[in-house]
Amino acid sequence: MIKQFNMNIVWYLVLMVLCTGFPSNGVSTNVSTRPTVLNIGAIFSFRSIISRVGRVAVEAAIEDINSDPSVLGGTKLRLTVQDSNSSGFLGIIETLRFMEKGTLAIIGPQTAVVAHVISHIANELQVPLLSFTVTDPALSSLQFPFFVRTTQSDQYQMAAIADMVDYYGWREVIAIYVDDDQGRNGITALGDKLAEKRCKISYKAPVKLEPTRNDITDALVKVALTESRIVILVAYPGWGMEVFSVAQYLGMMGTGYVWIATNWLSSVLDIRSPLSQDEMNNIQGVLTLRMHTPDSELKRKFVSRWSNLTSGKTADGPLGLSSYALYAYDTVWLLARAINAFFNQGGNVSFSSDSRLKQFQGGNLNLDAMSVSNGGKLLLQNILATNMTGLTGPIKFTPDRDLLRPAYEIINVIGTGTRRIGYWSNYSGLSLLPPETLYAKPLNQSSSSQRLYPAIWPGQTVEKPRGWAFPNSGRHLIIGVPKRLVPFGDGVENPNPTELVRLITTGAFDAAIGDIAIVTNRTRMADFTQPYIESGLVVVAPVRRVHSNAWAFLKPFTWKMWAVTAAFFLIVGVVVWILEHRLNDDFRGPPKKQVVTILWFSFSTMFFAHRENTISILGRIVLVIWLFVVLIINSSYTASLTSILTVQQLASPVKGIESLVTSTDPIGYQQGSFARNYLIGEFNIHPSRLVPLNSPDDYAKALEDGPQKGGVVAVVDERAYMELFLSTRCQFSILGQEFTKAGWGFAFPQDSPLAVDLSVAILQLSETGDLQRIRDKWLTRSACTSQGTKLEVDRLTLRSFWGLFAVCGLICLFALFIYFIQMVRQFTKHYGKEAESSGSSSLSGRVQTFLSFADEKEEEVKSRTKRRQMERMSNRSAGDESMNSSRGRYKDSSSTMSIENGVVA
């Protein structure tokens, strides 16, 4: 009855405040610009250990600020502390009392319940409300503009937990949480963060705000009956440890369970350390988070003061230092710096009363004494604009009014203490290094960069729990298996595996196991395990034995290969003859002899038995390349012929899938297999050509009958089936290459943890070789292997050697080109002037001369040229002598004439 009365009062007051408001035209109380004393309020829950350490830190900060006149210019802060006892009703009363005294700002409260209620009052009275403990992400800045969170929001803590769940490979978690604003909104944030990782909360277990042991037991019993073993605990320090005590009693702290507690547990460990032996035994292997604060000189000095600050202030013994105490200390300094900036900007501390509240004069609540802060908006702006460094590191607000660079330490409870196994920050995710050392490095949130040290899990095991178990209250799984257990199919025709997988999505089956190929359209409906057998589509057709005959020596090469090889023998012989003809006597002589030489030299190179030596450099280069080609051809021919003559061969008109695509014959396939759709969709084979077959006997009969008797030319099916089919039927064989890659796996509903665990088990069997041994024992038979038969080896085609022939041909052309250039230069040098002097400038004459030149031996050309040069020199010397004698006679006759003329004169 009392509680109901209190709630009525709460809603009455809230509605009254929201509806009436406080106009600014009432009586004003003005204070000087820099008052001597400023009233600051603080709302704590004295029973809470977090409030106890927070109060010590706040009072220490007030003392430090007041002892330093430079902070507020001589103004001192007066702190008034009230106890809300975690009650929204009492929180309202205490807040209204603060406003009777002209309080400039309020520090607190501790819980989200109280914060949601009094934030309405703070909005109306325009008084900043700074909380270092309320982490509820739903306290939005749009709805509650005067609420300022000076600690980390739960949206970051839940993001850290979601990253941990994803890091360890779990997909479903259970949430046990306090059923109030902070608990509900925190779990909502956790669900959103898990969804980003394709994880989810499979079961939610709310607990009353102040639960009894029976309440906790009822919740945990329900949790124990579920499938997931990953428990996220969002509680309050007052009763959180009781949850672990009950869980220990119910056997839920043993092997297989994972417990992740939010930062309330790290606060208990920090403040109440050391815990009793029983309490430590109850939380062995638990993971928890602690708000990370970088190490600094300022922080170390405060840590050294802490024992003095808490000495004698609590009857329960000393209080340890938690991160909440550091945030409480920084909150007061944040407010002080904002107040100083407020005064520097001309801010004035003044309040306005509401004249409409005078009707409540004389009442015990003194509502008519409440006032509105005229400078509240300016002070709020300065609070949000503050940029400072405190005990918790750099303090600055983001545009969303969250503290910059949130980070957490991940703590593992082991033995009598704890061990830090890593860090989390919204910048780098999970890491082994402190976040402040990573801020200067490039952002890297890839999965490979996420790392934590190994943890010790409940049950004192280092092996990571799989995260789920078959629930005690669960029903038996219905597994669909073709023709067995829960049969799917009529036992006559092969069932359709795609339809079997589809029935998982309808709930008819919980899983499907068997020879189910993992193909694209099926993966859209269900999750598959890792393949336990690799398989793919192959072509099987009848084969016949091929016996060697008198012309078996021609089989290694195709006719094109024989033709091109013979042609190159002749081509190389001609090229070498051209290159050697003018230099080498072995390649000269009558035309008949030269033709025989070309033929003999060409084909004798096949056996490296050529007797003619090559003299020219170009001829030797061509011959070396050709001998290498001959070596390759000889080796390939010998190997192929040996295989043909010594190994029994099998032949078939079908060479593989390509043969089936180009033909019009009917093709068999296993009824229900994906092969039908694959052949139609990928190879455009008409459906009328596809014949469904059920059993291995149907395969054999259809293949033996062939297309002529209503059968099929070949069967297309998965390799695993065909290997078993061929183990006792040696008249058939796989032809061509496997033209798809697939595998068989087990199908489960999407996001089922069974698929992950079975995949791990299959991989372990594969790595140890057990999977192959199982396959060899039950699925592999070798009745035909002793016969030593194999398919007819494809004959060596030109395509296998075209590269060699191309290189040899290019070398021949290059050598001929160089040789021709040299010939033209020699011809121009030796016959150019003679052709001009003889006047034979016609094209036919020049060609005839060039051909004659090309047929001559080079030594003869050089000797004849030398002889002609000597003749020219002798003729030139004889001409010079006759010229000199003529000149002498001319001089004598001239002198005689001059004498005669003189005598006459």
Side-chain angles (χ1 to χ4, degrees):
M1 184 174 179
I2 295 176
K3 290 185 177 179
Q4 184 64 35
F5 174 78
N6 288 345
M7 290 304 300
N8 291 337
I9 293 293
V10 169
W11 288 115
Y12 171 74
L13 292 174
V14 171
L15 290 174
M16 180 189 68
V17 172
L18 291 177
C19 294
T20 59
F22 299 94
S24 59
N25 57 358
V27 179
S28 300
T29 303
N30 294 324
V31 188
S32 61
T33 304
R34 286 269 183 178
T36 305
V37 177
L38 283 177
N39 291 325
I40 302 297
I43 300 179
F44 296 108
S45 297
F46 291 168
R47 292 187 304 171
S48 168
I49 59 172
I50 292 179
S51 283
R52 288 185 225 164
V53 297
R55 182 176 180 178
V56 172
V58 168
E59 292 174 348
I62 294 290
E63 181 180 351
D64 292 345
I65 292 170
N66 289 339
S67 62
D68 187 355
S70 64
V71 178
L72 288 175
T75 299
K76 295 186 180 297
L77 300 179
R78 178 189 296 154
L79 180 67
T80 303
V81 179
Q82 300 291 350
D83 181 17
S84 69
N85 199 22
S86 300
S87 167
F89 172 74
L90 295 179
I92 290 177
I93 301 299
E94 301 305 335
T95 303
L96 295 177
R97 285 182 177 177
F98 283 142
M99 300 316 299
E100 294 177 0
K101 303 176 182 179
T103 302
L104 189 63
I106 300 174
I107 297 174
Q110 179 188 343
T111 64
V113 175
V114 181
H116 273 275
V117 174
I118 67 176
S119 289
H120 291 285
I121 301 177
N123 288 349
E124 297 301 324
L125 302 183
Q126 297 186 7
V127 177
L129 186 65
L130 292 80
S131 176
F132 59 88
T133 56
V134 176
T135 58
D136 180 4
L139 284 164
S140 133
S141 59
L142 296 177
Q143 184 181 8
F144 305 110
F146 279 85
F147 175 81
V148 180
R149 182 186 294 108
T150 59
T151 187
Q152 304 297 347
S153 170
D154 262 352
Q155 65 174 328
Y156 298 114
Q157 183 170 206
M158 298 309 172
I161 293 176
D163 280 354
M164 292 167 61
V165 171
D166 181 62
Y167 172 78
Y168 288 115
W170 302 314
R171 286 293 170 260
E172 295 183 4
V173 303
I174 295 171
I176 303 175
Y177 61 97
V178 57
D179 192 17
D180 67 354
D181 292 330
Q182 184 155 322
R184 288 190 297 269
N185 296 329
I187 292 303
T188 300
L190 175 61
D192 294 339
K193 296 300 181 180
L194 287 172
E196 296 175 3
K197 307 292 183 180
R198 296 190 63 187
C199 305
K200 66 179 182 180
I201 301 175
S202 60
Y203 182 76
K204 296 180 181 179
V207 180
K208 291 195 305 185
L209 185 60
E210 295 183 358
T212 64
R213 187 176 179 88
N214 289 336
D215 295 330
I216 295 173
T217 302
D218 292 341
L220 291 186
V221 167
K222 295 177 182 178
V223 169
L225 297 178
T226 60
E227 180 179 283
S228 177
R229 289 294 181 264
I230 313 300
V231 183
I232 311 299
L233 180 58
V234 180
Y236 285 128
W239 52 268
M241 295 299 294
E242 188 71 13
V243 175
F244 291 116
S245 175
V246 175
Q248 184 75 269
Y249 174 77
L250 295 176
M252 298 176 64
M253 296 303 299
T255 304
Y257 276 92
V258 174
W259 288 81
I260 302 177
T262 52
N263 59 357
W264 69 266
L265 179 57
S266 63
S267 299
V268 171
L269 292 170
D270 292 338
I271 297 172
R272 291 178 48 196
S273 180
L275 299 181
S276 67
Q277 186 62 47
D278 290 340
E279 288 179 313
M280 290 301 297
N281 290 338
N282 292 337
I283 59 175
Q284 289 299 302
V286 174
L287 298 182
T288 183
L289 287 84
R290 175 193 291 140
M291 289 182 290
H292 173 66
T293 55
D295 188 29
S296 65
E297 182 64 26
L298 193 64
K299 177 182 174 181
R300 287 192 292 270
K301 289 181 179 179
F302 186 79
V303 171
S304 64
R305 291 175 55 194
W306 184 251
S307 59
N308 293 330
L309 292 174
T310 58
S311 177
K313 292 194 175 183
T314 59
D316 298 334
L319 293 175
L321 176 63
S322 76
S323 55
Y324 280 112
L326 304 179
Y327 279 99
Y329 185 88
D330 284 349
T331 298
V332 180
W333 274 93
L334 170 68
L335 178 60
R337 294 187 184 278
I339 292 174
N340 186 58
F342 169 79
F343 287 136
N344 291 338
Q345 295 172 8
N348 186 28
V349 179
S350 63
F351 300 89
S352 301
S353 61
D354 185 359
S355 59
R356 289 184 297 178
L357 292 179
K358 291 183 179 179
Q359 57 181 316
F360 298 102
Q361 286 182 353
N364 292 331
L365 294 178
N366 295 326
L367 295 178
D368 56 328
M370 289 190 299
S371 55
V372 179
S373 174
N374 296 327
K377 290 184 179 180
L378 180 60
L379 178 59
L380 177 65
Q381 294 174 3
N382 283 282
I383 291 173
L384 297 176
T386 301
N387 186 359
M388 57 174 277
T389 299
L391 302 180
T392 59
I395 301 175
K396 186 178 180 181
F397 291 96
T398 67
D400 295 331
R401 296 174 61 169
D402 290 320
L403 287 180
L404 191 68
R405 295 178 175 175
Y408 291 87
E409 299 174 9
I410 301 172
I411 307 299
N412 186 199
V413 180
I414 303 173
T416 59
T418 62
R419 183 172 70 100
R420 183 175 56 232
I421 63 172
Y423 300 87
W424 179 92
S425 71
N426 67 332
Y427 181 79
S428 58
L430 301 173
S431 67
L432 301 178
L433 299 175
E436 59 269 16
T437 64
L438 302 175
Y439 293 137
K441 299 180 180 179
L443 178 63
N444 183 9
Q445 291 187 341
S446 62
S447 57
S448 60
S449 67
Q450 306 298 293
R451 295 187 61 192
L452 293 174
Y453 289 112
I456 304 296
W457 305 101
Q460 299 297 310
T461 177
V462 295
E463 183 178 357
K464 184 200 73 173
R466 66 181 181 180
W468 67 274
F470 290 107
N472 296 329
S473 62
R475 58 178 175 83
H476 291 289
L477 296 177
I478 301 177
I479 309 297
V481 180
K483 298 183 181 180
R484 292 185 293 275
L485 299 177
V486 177
F488 174 71
D490 55 16
V492 178
E493 293 184 351
N494 289 337
N496 190 329
T498 302
E499 179 64 16
L500 175 59
V501 174
R502 189 191 68 79
L503 289 177
I504 297 176
T505 64
T506 66
F509 297 129
D510 295 304
I513 65 174
D515 47 354
I516 305 174
I518 305 173
V519 293
T520 303
N521 63 327
R522 297 173 187 171
T523 59
R524 297 190 182 103
M525 296 183 284
D527 283 350
F528 282 85
T529 63
Q530 287 289 322
Y532 63 88
I533 285 183
E534 295 293 338
S535 185
L537 294 179
V538 294
V539 176
V540 172
V543 292
R544 59 182 176 82
R545 296 177 182 177
V546 179
H547 301 282
S548 61
N549 53 36
W551 301 100
F553 68 91
L554 294 176
K555 289 186 178 179
F557 289 163
T558 61
W559 70 268
K560 289 183 179 180
M561 181 64 184
W562 281 116
V564 172
T565 302
F568 259 84
F569 272 107
L570 294 176
I571 291 172
V572 171
V574 172
V575 170
V576 173
W577 177 83
I578 292 173
L579 298 175
E580 295 289 325
H581 178 66
R582 301 185 69 246
L583 298 174
N584 196 337
D585 290 336
D586 291 341
F587 291 88
R588 299 187 63 82
K592 181 178 180 181
K593 178 186 175 184
Q594 295 186 45
V595 172
V596 172
T597 300
I598 291 174
L599 294 175
W600 165 254
F601 178 82
S602 300
F603 291 101
S604 63
T605 55
M606 178 184 294
F607 312 102
F608 304 98
H610 51 285
R611 294 175 300 179
E612 294 78 7
N613 293 324
T614 52
I615 297 176
S616 67
I617 296 177
L618 293 176
R620 290 177 176 177
I621 292 174
V622 171
L623 184 59
V624 168
I625 298 299
W626 174 242
L627 290 178
F628 176 75
V629 174
V630 169
L631 175 64
I632 300 300
I633 294 174
N634 282 344
S635 302
S636 303
Y637 175 85
T638 303
S640 181
L641 182 61
T642 301
S643 176
I644 291 173
L645 296 179
T646 59
V647 179
Q648 182 181 357
Q649 303 294 313
L650 300 176
S652 173
V654 178
K655 301 300 181 184
I657 187 63
E658 295 82 6
S659 302
L660 299 182
V661 172
T662 56
S663 71
T664 58
D665 295 322
I667 305 169
Y669 70 94
Q670 181 186 169
Q671 184 167 0
S673 171
F674 73 96
R676 182 180 189 276
N677 292 334
Y678 189 85
L679 293 173
I680 295 173
E682 296 296 327
F683 295 102
N684 296 320
I685 295 177
H686 198 274
S688 61
R689 294 179 56 197
L690 301 177
V691 180
L693 302 171
N694 274 306
S695 65
D697 293 335
D698 294 340
Y699 286 11
K701 185 177 185 305
L703 290 171
E704 289 172 351
D705 291 345
Q708 296 78 14
K709 297 181 180 179
V712 297
V713 68
V715 172
V716 174
D717 206 349
E718 295 181 69
R719 178 178 287 276
Y721 293 127
M722 292 294 95
E723 288 178 349
L724 193 60
F725 171 75
L726 296 174
S727 63
T728 57
R729 296 173 177 85
C730 303
Q731 68 272 33
F732 311 111
S733 183
I734 296 175
L735 302 168
Q737 299 295 321
E738 186 176 307
F739 55 92
T740 66
K741 284 293 183 183
W744 293 351
F746 303 144
F748 292 90
Q750 290 184 341
D751 297 326
S752 171
L754 280 170
V756 177
D757 289 327
L758 282 180
S759 293
V760 173
I762 291 171
L763 289 174
Q764 289 174 344
L765 289 174
S766 177
E767 291 171 356
T768 58
D770 291 336
L771 192 63
Q772 185 62 40
R773 284 189 285 272
I774 293 172
R775 179 178 178 180
D776 293 342
K777 179 178 180 179
W778 296 104
L779 299 179
T780 302
R781 301 177 186 174
S782 55
C784 296
T785 55
S786 61
Q787 299 180 13
T789 60
K790 70 172 186 175
L791 288 174
E792 180 184 9
V793 179
D794 288 338
R795 303 170 74 185
L796 298 174
T797 63
L798 181 61
R799 188 165 69 174
S800 302
F801 298 91
W802 74 266
L804 283 173
F805 287 128
V807 171
C808 184
L810 290 174
I811 294 297
C812 290
L813 289 175
F814 179 75
L816 290 176
F817 176 75
I818 298 298
Y819 179 75
F820 178 76
I821 295 297
Q822 292 176 348
M823 286 275 294
V824 170
R825 291 181 62 189
Q826 289 182 357
F827 177 75
T828 303
K829 178 179 179 182
H830 296 293
Y831 284 90
K833 294 182 179 179
E834 293 182 6
E836 292 177 0
S837 62
S838 62
S840 58
S841 60
S842 65
L843 179 61
S844 60
R846 285 180 173 273
V847 171
Q848 222 171 15
T849 305
F850 181 77
L851 292 177
S852 299
F853 170 76
D855 187 58
E856 287 184 308
K857 193 173 182 181
E858 189 171 340
E859 292 180 357
E860 295 178 358
V861 173
K862 291 181 178 179
S863 62
R864 186 171 63 251
T865 302
K866 186 176 181 180
R867 187 169 58 252
R868 289 177 180 174
Q869 289 177 349
M870 293 178 64
E871 289 177 356
R872 287 196 198 98
M873 292 177 62
S874 61
N875 291 336
R876 187 180 296 112
S877 60
D880 292 342
E881 291 178 358
S882 62
M883 182 68 69
N884 292 334
S885 62
S886 299
R887 288 177 179 173
R889 288 196 300 272
Y890 174 75
K891 289 182 178 179
D892 292 342
S893 61
S894 298
S895 56
T896 303
M897 290 179 63
S898 61
I899 293 172
E900 290 179 350
N901 289 335
V903 173
V904 172

